[in-house]
């Protein structure tokens, strides 16, 4: 017979152990979620869409929201239908670009869905002044046959225009957004998940150890009596045996 | 079982919807920047210099394209025409060594900006004024004014985030509205008086009044011809920017109409070579109308701040019609 508290260990430690298991479980789930975010649910490091110019629509442009897709930069390459033609790609303040485009017919990228551009086709004018000849661009590139521009993330609303001469549509515009790698949530999931898992495991271990005798019980020798029922319950729980000095045979 | 199937279908539908959602970003708040960024302004300056470098040596005004506008376009068209008629070769102005860019805040078109600096061959600092009529028109050189002796440009409000632009008729807080200042100055030039209560004496007005007076003496006293002279605000417009002291820097275009009526039977009036080349006549026996563009920069003080000062000006003949 052990020298244990009259109240049984099971009734005192079961809820704490349950809580520790729950905490460990939540921690493990959070770790799994974090792992999934950097593997199977990972955001691609690039989003690339290809937009073909359409007859009668002399420019391909983006809305401010589409150009601002999260990420440090977007790389835009425009190709002319004829390699001998000059092409233009430029980015300007959204308001200025809107004023320049006016009612010009255009192929407008309003967002992306997977690896496809979501397009709109506003405007009806089939030509507009050559974009290289106006001064609404904060950054612009021209080139023979093709031109490439890298637009870094910048405060404000910006729109992109790709064109040839204001009358001929470009053959193709490739927009390549460099995306954010993960997000602030992923490290947080790893951190919180790991912490909870460790706490849970420690808790489980602690509840095991706390089933050792004496702690919380009467001082040795002050109460050596206990009833059989309690003793029976003790038998249900694997109790770590206390060292010899605290062990005693029940006296009848 | 049916409930489970419905639940499964719902989960699949939700997953598909999540996969097919349209991605867009969120533009951030607009930072306070001028309507023309410094890089854009330098690009415009280069384009204007390039246009002048193409057109001037070739005596071909068409090569100026859209990079000259307003008074500067009229002036250079006339100068190149005169040079071509006189079989002269002009040299293009050297690029401006920019000391200061004056960049207005974002505002509707027409938009303006200015660059002050020195240009080799110019004895005094110059102020180049650029204008874009609409978003579809590039900025072109609108005028190049010479700073008057002893004058300096005022400090402007919010030079980094864009100087506020004042409407021509907005005289709030000023001694007079910008358009009223220009109209008063045109009247002062027409009157030929160098002393008016609203304006401080300036060298430009002295020179204009002096030239008209000299012509009147030369032609009128001898009874050969009569000379009349009118200055008026031009349709080329004006720009007004808020200065740091609450006043305004106003740059405006005026037009001078200078008429000579030759009295019948009194002979002919000879024209100087440049004017003759512009009028395509070496002399006139009946009349001459000479039109000039004048651009003037004013420092307009805040209300109660004293008189208006002319700090820079330019003048050029743009047409002459004689018979």
């Amino acid at each position: 017979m052990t020298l244990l508290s009259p109240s049984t260990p099971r009734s005192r430690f079961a809820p704490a152990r349950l809580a520790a298991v729950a905490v460990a479980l939540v921690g493990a789930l959070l770790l799994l979620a974090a792992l999934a975010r950097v593997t199977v649910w990972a955001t691609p490091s690039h989003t690339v869409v290809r937009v073909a110019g359409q007859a009668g629509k002399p420019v391909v442009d983006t809305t401010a929201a589409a150009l601002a897709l999260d990420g440090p930069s977007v790389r835009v390459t425009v190709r002319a239908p004829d390699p001998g033609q000059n092409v233009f790609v430029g980015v300007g303040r959204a308001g200025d670009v809107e004023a320049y485009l006016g009612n010009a017919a255009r192929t407008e990228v309003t967002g992306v869905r997977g690896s496809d551009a979501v397009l709109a086709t506003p405007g009806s004018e089939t030509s507009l002044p050559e974009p290289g000849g106006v001064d609404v661009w904060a950054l612009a590139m021209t080139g023979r046959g093709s031109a490439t521009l890298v637009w870094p993330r910048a405060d404000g609303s910006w729109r992109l225009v790709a064109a040839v001469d204001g009358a001929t549509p470009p053959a193709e515009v490739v927009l390549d957004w460099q995306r954010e790698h993960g997000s602030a949530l992923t490290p947080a999931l790893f951190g919180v998940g790991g912490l909870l898992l460790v706490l849970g495991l420690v808790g489980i271990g602690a509840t095991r150890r706390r089933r050792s005798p004496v702690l919380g019980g009467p001082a040795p020798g002050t109460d050596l009596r206990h009833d059989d029922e309690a003793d029976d319950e003790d038998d249900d729980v694997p109790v770590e045996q206390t060292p010899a000095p605290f062990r005693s045979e029940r006296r009848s | 079982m049916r409930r489970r199937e419905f639940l499964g279908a719902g989960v699949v539908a939700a997953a598909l919807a999540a996969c097919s959602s349209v991605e867009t970003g969120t533009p951030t708040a607009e930072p306070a920047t001028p309507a023309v960024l410094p890089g854009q302004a330098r690009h415009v300056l280069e384009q204007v210099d390039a246009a002048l470098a193409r057109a001037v040596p070739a005596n071909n005004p068409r090569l100026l394209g859209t990079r000259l506008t307003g008074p500067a376009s009229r002036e250079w068209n006339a100068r190149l025409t005169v040079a071509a008629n006189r079989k002269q070769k002009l040299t293009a102005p050297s690029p401006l060594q920019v000391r200061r860019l004056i960049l207005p805040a974002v505002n509707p078109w027409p938009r303006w900006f200015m660059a002050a600096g020195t240009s080799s061959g110019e004895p005094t600092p110059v102020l180049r004024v650029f204008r874009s009529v609409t978003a579809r028109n590039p900025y072109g050189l609108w005028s190049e004014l010479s700073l008057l002796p002893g004058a300096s440009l005022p400090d402007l409000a919010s030079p980094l985030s864009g100087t506020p632009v004042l409407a021509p008729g907005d005289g709030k807080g000023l001694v007079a509205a910008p358009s009223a200042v220009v109209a008063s100055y045109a009247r002062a030039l027409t009157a030929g008086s160098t002393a008016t209560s609203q304006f401080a004496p300036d060298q430009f007005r002295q020179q204009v009044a002096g030239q008209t007076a000299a012509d009147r003496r030369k032609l009128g006293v001898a009874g050969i011809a009569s000379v009349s002279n009118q200055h008026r605000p031009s349709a080329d417009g004006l720009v007004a920017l808020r200065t740091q002291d609450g006043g305004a820097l106003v740059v405006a275009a005026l037009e001078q109409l200078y008429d000579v009526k030759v009295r019948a039977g009194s002979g002919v009036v000879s024209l100087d070579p440049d004017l003759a080349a512009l009028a395509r006549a070496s002399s006139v026996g009946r009349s001459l109308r000479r039109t000039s563009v004048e651009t003037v920069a004013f420092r307009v003080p805040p209300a109660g701040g004293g008189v208006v000062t002319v700090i820079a000006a330019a003048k050029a003949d743009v047409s002459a019609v004689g018979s």
Side-chain angles (χ1 to χ4, degrees), chain A residues 59-80:
Chain A
V59 297
V60 173
D61 74 309
T62 71
T63 60
L67 192 64
L69 206 63
D70 67 309
S73 65
V74 55
R75 181 187 184 87
V76 185
T77 301
V78 56
R79 292 191 182 86

PDB file of all heavy atoms in Angstrom, chain A residues 59-80:
ATOM      1  N   VAL A  59      -4.000  49.231 -77.470  1.00  0.00           N
ATOM      2  CA  VAL A  59      -3.126  49.096 -76.291  1.00  0.00           C
ATOM      3  C   VAL A  59      -3.590  47.940 -75.422  1.00  0.00           C
ATOM      4  O   VAL A  59      -4.759  47.543 -75.429  1.00  0.00           O
ATOM      5  CB  VAL A  59      -3.087  50.390 -75.422  1.00  0.00           C
ATOM      6  CG1 VAL A  59      -2.514  51.554 -76.187  1.00  0.00           C
ATOM      7  CG2 VAL A  59      -4.446  50.732 -74.873  1.00  0.00           C
ATOM      8  N   VAL A  60      -2.630  47.422 -74.671  1.00  0.00           N
ATOM      9  CA  VAL A  60      -2.918  46.500 -73.569  1.00  0.00           C
ATOM     10  C   VAL A  60      -2.542  47.259 -72.306  1.00  0.00           C
ATOM     11  O   VAL A  60      -1.447  47.836 -72.230  1.00  0.00           O
ATOM     12  CB  VAL A  60      -2.091  45.208 -73.688  1.00  0.00           C
ATOM     13  CG1 VAL A  60      -2.280  44.335 -72.452  1.00  0.00           C
ATOM     14  CG2 VAL A  60      -2.484  44.439 -74.946  1.00  0.00           C
ATOM     15  N   ASP A  61      -3.440  47.303 -71.340  1.00  0.00           N
ATOM     16  CA  ASP A  61      -3.136  48.032 -70.115  1.00  0.00           C
ATOM     17  C   ASP A  61      -3.582  47.221 -68.905  1.00  0.00           C
ATOM     18  O   ASP A  61      -4.202  46.161 -69.053  1.00  0.00           O
ATOM     19  CB  ASP A  61      -3.816  49.412 -70.117  1.00  0.00           C
ATOM     20  CG  ASP A  61      -5.308  49.328 -69.884  1.00  0.00           C
ATOM     21  OD1 ASP A  61      -5.962  48.538 -70.589  1.00  0.00           O
ATOM     22  OD2 ASP A  61      -5.828  50.027 -69.005  1.00  0.00           O
ATOM     23  N   THR A  62      -3.234  47.714 -67.732  1.00  0.00           N
ATOM     24  CA  THR A  62      -3.697  47.071 -66.500  1.00  0.00           C
ATOM     25  C   THR A  62      -4.459  48.103 -65.675  1.00  0.00           C
ATOM     26  O   THR A  62      -4.221  49.305 -65.794  1.00  0.00           O
ATOM     27  CB  THR A  62      -2.537  46.552 -65.631  1.00  0.00           C
ATOM     28  OG1 THR A  62      -1.848  47.677 -65.076  1.00  0.00           O
ATOM     29  CG2 THR A  62      -1.575  45.692 -66.424  1.00  0.00           C
ATOM     30  N   THR A  63      -5.317  47.601 -64.829  1.00  0.00           N
ATOM     31  CA  THR A  63      -5.899  48.479 -63.818  1.00  0.00           C
ATOM     32  C   THR A  63      -4.853  48.663 -62.716  1.00  0.00           C
ATOM     33  O   THR A  63      -3.862  47.915 -62.647  1.00  0.00           O
ATOM     34  CB  THR A  63      -7.161  47.853 -63.209  1.00  0.00           C
ATOM     35  OG1 THR A  63      -6.794  46.602 -62.611  1.00  0.00           O
ATOM     36  CG2 THR A  63      -8.231  47.632 -64.254  1.00  0.00           C
ATOM     37  N   ALA A  64      -5.103  49.634 -61.842  1.00  0.00           N
ATOM     38  CA  ALA A  64      -4.170  49.867 -60.733  1.00  0.00           C
ATOM     39  C   ALA A  64      -4.149  48.655 -59.798  1.00  0.00           C
ATOM     40  O   ALA A  64      -3.090  48.261 -59.303  1.00  0.00           O
ATOM     41  CB  ALA A  64      -4.575  51.137 -59.979  1.00  0.00           C
ATOM     42  N   ALA A  65      -5.303  48.044 -59.581  1.00  0.00           N
ATOM     43  CA  ALA A  65      -5.373  46.896 -58.664  1.00  0.00           C
ATOM     44  C   ALA A  65      -4.633  45.696 -59.239  1.00  0.00           C
ATOM     45  O   ALA A  65      -3.969  44.967 -58.497  1.00  0.00           O
ATOM     46  CB  ALA A  65      -6.826  46.542 -58.388  1.00  0.00           C
ATOM     47  N   ALA A  66      -4.728  45.501 -60.531  1.00  0.00           N
ATOM     48  CA  ALA A  66      -4.033  44.354 -61.135  1.00  0.00           C
ATOM     49  C   ALA A  66      -2.524  44.547 -61.067  1.00  0.00           C
ATOM     50  O   ALA A  66      -1.787  43.613 -60.742  1.00  0.00           O
ATOM     51  CB  ALA A  66      -4.473  44.171 -62.579  1.00  0.00           C
ATOM     52  N   LEU A  67      -2.072  45.768 -61.345  1.00  0.00           N
ATOM     53  CA  LEU A  67      -0.621  45.992 -61.309  1.00  0.00           C
ATOM     54  C   LEU A  67      -0.089  45.854 -59.891  1.00  0.00           C
ATOM     55  O   LEU A  67       1.070  45.486 -59.689  1.00  0.00           O
ATOM     56  CB  LEU A  67      -0.284  47.381 -61.869  1.00  0.00           C
ATOM     57  CG  LEU A  67       1.196  47.643 -62.156  1.00  0.00           C
ATOM     58  CD1 LEU A  67       1.712  46.723 -63.253  1.00  0.00           C
ATOM     59  CD2 LEU A  67       1.448  49.085 -62.544  1.00  0.00           C
ATOM     60  N   ALA A  68      -0.943  46.139 -58.901  1.00  0.00           N
ATOM     61  CA  ALA A  68      -0.508  46.133 -57.498  1.00  0.00           C
ATOM     62  C   ALA A  68      -0.602  44.755 -56.856  1.00  0.00           C
ATOM     63  O   ALA A  68      -0.530  44.651 -55.636  1.00  0.00           O
ATOM     64  CB  ALA A  68      -1.341  47.138 -56.700  1.00  0.00           C
ATOM     65  N   LEU A  69      -0.769  43.714 -57.649  1.00  0.00           N
ATOM     66  CA  LEU A  69      -0.798  42.360 -57.098  1.00  0.00           C
ATOM     67  C   LEU A  69       0.420  42.192 -56.199  1.00  0.00           C
ATOM     68  O   LEU A  69       1.502  42.613 -56.554  1.00  0.00           O
ATOM     69  CB  LEU A  69      -0.731  41.373 -58.266  1.00  0.00           C
ATOM     70  CG  LEU A  69      -1.320  39.994 -58.058  1.00  0.00           C
ATOM     71  CD1 LEU A  69      -2.812  40.079 -57.805  1.00  0.00           C
ATOM     72  CD2 LEU A  69      -1.082  39.141 -59.308  1.00  0.00           C
ATOM     73  N   ASP A  70       0.199  41.556 -55.019  1.00  0.00           N
ATOM     74  CA  ASP A  70       1.258  41.547 -54.010  1.00  0.00           C
ATOM     75  C   ASP A  70       2.561  40.981 -54.569  1.00  0.00           C
ATOM     76  O   ASP A  70       2.562  40.063 -55.382  1.00  0.00           O
ATOM     77  CB  ASP A  70       0.828  40.731 -52.799  1.00  0.00           C
ATOM     78  CG  ASP A  70       0.698  39.259 -53.145  1.00  0.00           C
ATOM     79  OD1 ASP A  70       0.018  38.972 -54.143  1.00  0.00           O
ATOM     80  OD2 ASP A  70       1.276  38.420 -52.445  1.00  0.00           O
ATOM     81  N   GLY A  71       3.644  41.547 -54.111  1.00  0.00           N
ATOM     82  CA  GLY A  71       4.958  41.114 -54.580  1.00  0.00           C
ATOM     83  C   GLY A  71       5.859  42.305 -54.751  1.00  0.00           C
ATOM     84  O   GLY A  71       5.393  43.424 -54.890  1.00  0.00           O
ATOM     85  N   PRO A  72       7.156  42.060 -54.753  1.00  0.00           N
ATOM     86  CA  PRO A  72       8.089  43.188 -54.803  1.00  0.00           C
ATOM     87  C   PRO A  72       8.188  43.857 -56.167  1.00  0.00           C
ATOM     88  O   PRO A  72       8.550  45.023 -56.250  1.00  0.00           O
ATOM     89  CB  PRO A  72       9.428  42.556 -54.416  1.00  0.00           C
ATOM     90  CG  PRO A  72       9.278  41.104 -54.705  1.00  0.00           C
ATOM     91  CD  PRO A  72       7.831  40.775 -54.530  1.00  0.00           C
ATOM     92  N   SER A  73       7.863  43.135 -57.237  1.00  0.00           N
ATOM     93  CA  SER A  73       7.997  43.771 -58.550  1.00  0.00           C
ATOM     94  C   SER A  73       7.198  43.006 -59.594  1.00  0.00           C
ATOM     95  O   SER A  73       6.792  41.867 -59.373  1.00  0.00           O
ATOM     96  CB  SER A  73       9.474  43.814 -58.979  1.00  0.00           C
ATOM     97  OG  SER A  73       9.957  42.502 -59.163  1.00  0.00           O
ATOM     98  N   VAL A  74       6.999  43.650 -60.715  1.00  0.00           N
ATOM     99  CA  VAL A  74       6.373  42.990 -61.863  1.00  0.00           C
ATOM    100  C   VAL A  74       7.240  43.286 -63.090  1.00  0.00           C
ATOM    101  O   VAL A  74       7.705  44.407 -63.291  1.00  0.00           O
ATOM    102  CB  VAL A  74       4.904  43.435 -62.053  1.00  0.00           C
ATOM    103  CG1 VAL A  74       4.781  44.942 -62.173  1.00  0.00           C
ATOM    104  CG2 VAL A  74       4.285  42.773 -63.278  1.00  0.00           C
ATOM    105  N   ARG A  75       7.466  42.242 -63.858  1.00  0.00           N
ATOM    106  CA  ARG A  75       8.287  42.378 -65.064  1.00  0.00           C
ATOM    107  C   ARG A  75       7.351  42.255 -66.262  1.00  0.00           C
ATOM    108  O   ARG A  75       6.584  41.290 -66.344  1.00  0.00           O
ATOM    109  CB  ARG A  75       9.320  41.256 -65.072  1.00  0.00           C
ATOM    110  CG  ARG A  75      10.278  41.256 -66.231  1.00  0.00           C
ATOM    111  CD  ARG A  75      11.123  39.981 -66.179  1.00  0.00           C
ATOM    112  NE  ARG A  75      12.131  39.961 -67.203  1.00  0.00           N
ATOM    113  CZ  ARG A  75      13.346  40.491 -67.078  1.00  0.00           C
ATOM    114  NH1 ARG A  75      13.679  41.053 -65.938  1.00  0.00           N
ATOM    115  NH2 ARG A  75      14.212  40.443 -68.061  1.00  0.00           N
ATOM    116  N   VAL A  76       7.422  43.199 -67.151  1.00  0.00           N
ATOM    117  CA  VAL A  76       6.501  43.215 -68.287  1.00  0.00           C
ATOM    118  C   VAL A  76       7.302  43.217 -69.581  1.00  0.00           C
ATOM    119  O   VAL A  76       8.219  44.021 -69.754  1.00  0.00           O
ATOM    120  CB  VAL A  76       5.593  44.468 -68.243  1.00  0.00           C
ATOM    121  CG1 VAL A  76       4.571  44.404 -69.366  1.00  0.00           C
ATOM    122  CG2 VAL A  76       4.901  44.578 -66.913  1.00  0.00           C
ATOM    123  N   THR A  77       6.959  42.310 -70.446  1.00  0.00           N
ATOM    124  CA  THR A  77       7.618  42.247 -71.748  1.00  0.00           C
ATOM    125  C   THR A  77       6.546  42.382 -72.821  1.00  0.00           C
ATOM    126  O   THR A  77       5.513  41.712 -72.763  1.00  0.00           O
ATOM    127  CB  THR A  77       8.357  40.904 -71.928  1.00  0.00           C
ATOM    128  OG1 THR A  77       9.321  40.788 -70.876  1.00  0.00           O
ATOM    129  CG2 THR A  77       9.063  40.842 -73.266  1.00  0.00           C
ATOM    130  N   VAL A  78       6.792  43.270 -73.759  1.00  0.00           N
ATOM    131  CA  VAL A  78       5.832  43.474 -74.846  1.00  0.00           C
ATOM    132  C   VAL A  78       6.533  43.165 -76.171  1.00  0.00           C
ATOM    133  O   VAL A  78       7.710  43.513 -76.346  1.00  0.00           O
ATOM    134  CB  VAL A  78       5.231  44.900 -74.806  1.00  0.00           C
ATOM    135  CG1 VAL A  78       6.307  45.960 -74.834  1.00  0.00           C
ATOM    136  CG2 VAL A  78       4.276  45.135 -75.965  1.00  0.00           C
ATOM    137  N   ARG A  79       5.807  42.495 -77.035  1.00  0.00           N
ATOM    138  CA  ARG A  79       6.377  42.132 -78.334  1.00  0.00           C
ATOM    139  C   ARG A  79       5.533  42.733 -79.451  1.00  0.00           C
ATOM    140  O   ARG A  79       4.294  42.726 -79.368  1.00  0.00           O
ATOM    141  CB  ARG A  79       6.439  40.607 -78.487  1.00  0.00           C
ATOM    142  CG  ARG A  79       7.433  39.977 -77.550  1.00  0.00           C
ATOM    143  CD  ARG A  79       7.703  38.515 -77.854  1.00  0.00           C
ATOM    144  NE  ARG A  79       8.636  37.978 -76.871  1.00  0.00           N
ATOM    145  CZ  ARG A  79       8.292  37.485 -75.683  1.00  0.00           C
ATOM    146  NH1 ARG A  79       7.023  37.435 -75.350  1.00  0.00           N
ATOM    147  NH2 ARG A  79       9.204  37.053 -74.845  1.00  0.00           N
ATOM    148  N   ALA A  80       6.212  43.202 -80.479  1.00  0.00           N
ATOM    149  CA  ALA A  80       5.529  43.797 -81.638  1.00  0.00           C
ATOM    150  C   ALA A  80       5.123  42.705 -82.607  1.00  0.00           C
ATOM    151  O   ALA A  80       5.757  41.656 -82.657  1.00  0.00           O
ATOM    152  CB  ALA A  80       6.462  44.784 -82.323  1.00  0.00           C
TER     153      ALA A  80
END
